[in-house]
């Protein structure tokens, strides 16, 4: 039976619009809950990528709620069981994007893509951070996943774009292609990335237009950065344009973030919601096959979770 997410979105759109009509925040064990306590944060350069647990919080742009908990009681494929409450169970995340009945229009509003800190992203990323933003186990899980889905090294004609890249791309050891482009915010970080054959410094929130021709890339990757995109549909439309027909786009993310720079709809929701949010980007951008989700978290509850939402550009006849 189809997931009736779309039906409920259409009937109660304000509940998904960033201005949440509730008197108190709703929390779950899976929420991406961010705070300023140093003991709950990973130091990243001079800033923190933060993960906090089970904390009631209210952001200036709205009250944190779980999108998915409002609607999964209507989803016949899992009955009345809350998906957010079970998101850590093996296989639960994979079900989020199964048979979704999407509403006709993109369900989110401009305020959902505002941030607590609207200052220049260029200034925020001005200083290089030669660190990783997820733990070693999550990185190993992502690299293992890449080893299964990326083209074999030195495949003739293959081009890869690592979007929102930095000094490391987490590709398998020895991975090489004729063209591997890194696009990021800090030139010093990109220069340090050994896998890249070239790089572009660009703020996608300021200019989402990708400086590449149509049908250029076989694969696009994005690691723990999709939550910072303030113009995601524009970016995903560009991804569809520059991917070759049948090309693969892989968005990976965890529950860590620079919460002042992450969009409000992300910081106000939980892991299963994030899967749905990223899936919606693929769907409403157009040109992609139905998105799918994979939970590759290596050690749930004891290491950083890591989730994948991926899709392929529709192959033309």
């Amino acid at each position: 039976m189809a997931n009736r997410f779309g039906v409920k979105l259409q009937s109660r759109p304000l509940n998904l619009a960033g201005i949440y009509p509730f008197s108190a925040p709703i929390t779950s064990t899976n929420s991406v809950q961010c705070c300023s306590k140093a003991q709950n944060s990973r130091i990243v350069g001079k800033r923190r990528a933060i993960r906090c647990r089970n904390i009631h919080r209210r952001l200036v742009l709205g009250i944190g709620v779980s999108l998915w908990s409002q609607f999964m009681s209507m989803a016949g494929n899992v009955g009345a069981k809350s998906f957010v409450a079970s998101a850590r169970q093996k296989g639960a995340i994979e079900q989020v994007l199964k048979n979704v009945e999407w509403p006709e229009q993109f369900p989110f509003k401009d305020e959902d893509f505002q941030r607590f800190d609207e200052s220049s992203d260029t200034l925020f990323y001005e200083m290089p951070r030669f660190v990783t933003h997820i733990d070693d186990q999550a990185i190993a899980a992502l690299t293992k996943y890449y080893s299964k889905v990326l083209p074999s090294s030195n495949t003739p004609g293959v081009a890869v774009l690592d979007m929102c890249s930095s000094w490391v791309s987490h590709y398998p050891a020895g991975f090489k292609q004729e063209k591997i482009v890194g696009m990021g915010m800090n030139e010093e970080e990109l220069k340090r990335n050994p896998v890249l054959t070239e790089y572009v410094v660009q703020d996608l929130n300021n200019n989402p237009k990708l400086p590449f021709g149509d049908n250029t890339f076989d694969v696009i990757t994005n690691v723990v950065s999709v939550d910072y995109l303030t113009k995601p549909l524009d970016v995903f439309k560009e991804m569809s344009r520059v991917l070759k027909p049948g090309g693969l786009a892989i968005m990976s993310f965890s529950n860590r973030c620079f919460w002042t720079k992450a969009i409000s709809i992300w910081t106000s929701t939980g892991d299963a919601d994030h899967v749905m949010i990223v899936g919606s980007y693929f769907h409403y951008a157009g040109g992609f096959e139905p998105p799918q989700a994979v939970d590759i978290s290596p050690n749930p509850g004891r290491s950083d979770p890591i989730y994948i939402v991926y899709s392929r550009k529709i192959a033309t006849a």
Side-chain angles (χ1 to χ4, degrees), residues 27-46:
T27 61
S28 76
T29 57
N30 262 11
S31 293
V32 174
Q33 298 165 343
C34 302
C35 68
S36 60
K37 294 183 179 179
Q39 65 267 29
N40 287 324
S41 64
R42 178 187 300 278
I43 302 300
V44 181
K46 294 184 179 180

Side-chain angles (χ1 to χ4, degrees), residues 15 20 22 24-27 31 63-67 69-70 268-270 273:
N15 287 3
Y20 298 102
F22 299 93
I26 300 171
T27 61
S31 293
I63 298 173
V65 298
S66 171
L67 303 176
S69 63
Q70 298 176 63
S268 297
T269 53
D273 306 310

Side-chain angles (χ1 to χ4, degrees), residues 158-165 169 171 177-184 190 193 195-201 211-212 216-217 219-221:
V158 164
V160 177
L161 172 62
D162 189 25
M163 186 179 290
C164 303
S165 187
S169 295
Y171 296 155
Q177 299 296 348
E178 180 179 336
K179 184 183 183 73
I180 303 179
V181 182
M183 170 175 280
L190 294 170
N193 191 327
V195 76
L196 303 180
T197 61
E198 56 191 276
Y199 65 82
V200 176
V201 177
F212 311 108
T216 297
F217 295 101
V219 180
I220 296 176
T221 58

Side-chain angles (χ1 to χ4, degrees), residues 70 97 124 130 144 152 161 167 170 179 264 293:
Q70 298 176 63
L97 294 174
F124 184 85
F130 297 111
K144 181 179 179 180
S152 300
L161 172 62
W167 68 284
H170 307 306
K179 184 183 183 73
S264 66

Side-chain angles (χ1 to χ4, degrees), residues 252-288:
S252 60
F253 48 91
S254 184
N255 65 356
R256 290 190 179 275
C257 64
F258 295 124
W259 76 271
T260 61
K261 283 297 185 181
I263 58 174
S264 66
I265 196 67
W266 195 277
T267 58
S268 297
T269 53
D271 294 350
D273 306 310
H274 299 158
V275 170
M276 180 64 77
I277 291 166
V278 178
S280 77
Y281 297 165
F282 279 114
H283 175 79
Y284 291 101
F288 288 101

